[in-house]
Amino acid sequence: MSLKDQLSQLVYSTDQGRIEPEQQQEIIPESDGFIKIRRETKGRKGKGVTCLSGFGLTESELKALSKEMKKLCGVGGSVKDYVIEIQGDQRDKLESWLKQKSYKTKRIGG
C-alpha cells in the first residue's frame, strides 16, 4: 500500500477545522391510511399505555399532534420511533378525537 493510499482519507485537519458528519434524511414510515390504536403493558412494570402508529408524519409533526392528545386526555406521553405513546388506557377518547380530525382508525389487540 502506497503512502498516497494511506493518506487518502482525511480524518482531521487544522487547516479546515472540524469535519461535520453528513446529515441523513429522515425516513418516514409509510401509512396505509389507518391509525392503529393499541394498549401495551410490556416493559412498563404493568402500567398500561395507549400506542398510536401509522400516521406517516415527520417526527416534529408527531410531537405537535402528541401534545394536543396529551392535553385532551390530561396525561403524559411521548413519541418513540414514530409511535405516539399516551399514558393510561385512553383508546376510546383518542379514537373519537381522531375521527373528528378525519383520520381512519383501527383497534389492534384486545
Side-chain angles (χ1 to χ4, degrees):
M1 186 183 295
S2 70
L3 182 62
K4 185 177 181 181
D5 290 336
Q6 291 175 357
L7 299 176
S8 65
Q9 292 189 350
L10 179 66
V11 176
Y12 183 81
S13 171
T14 57
D15 183 39
Q16 298 175 351
R18 294 181 186 259
I19 298 174
E20 296 288 327
E22 292 183 20
Q23 295 291 332
Q24 293 181 359
Q25 288 186 345
E26 187 175 12
I27 300 171
I28 302 169
E30 291 189 24
S31 174
D32 62 350
F34 289 95
I35 307 304
K36 291 151 193 80
I37 303 173
R38 67 184 182 278
R39 183 174 177 272
E40 288 185 359
T41 57
K42 190 174 182 180
R44 296 176 179 87
K45 299 180 184 175
K47 309 276 184 177
V49 295
T50 304
C51 297
L52 299 105
S53 60
F55 286 96
L57 301 173
T58 63
E59 194 82 29
S60 60
E61 292 171 328
L62 282 176
K63 285 183 181 180
L65 191 61
S66 167
K67 187 174 182 178
E68 291 181 43
M69 290 179 183
K70 292 187 284 185
K71 273 188 185 177
L72 171 75
C73 298
V75 296
S78 65
V79 177
K80 296 180 182 173
D81 298 327
Y82 298 97
V83 176
I84 297 176
E85 296 179 354
I86 305 292
Q87 292 176 349
D89 188 2
Q90 310 292 336
R91 291 178 288 184
D92 298 327
K93 203 180 284 188
L94 290 173
E95 186 173 20
S96 63
W97 184 77
L98 286 168
K99 285 184 180 180
Q100 287 177 358
K101 294 255 185 194
S102 69
Y103 285 105
K104 297 177 188 173
T105 61
K106 276 188 183 178
R107 284 196 177 206
I108 307 294

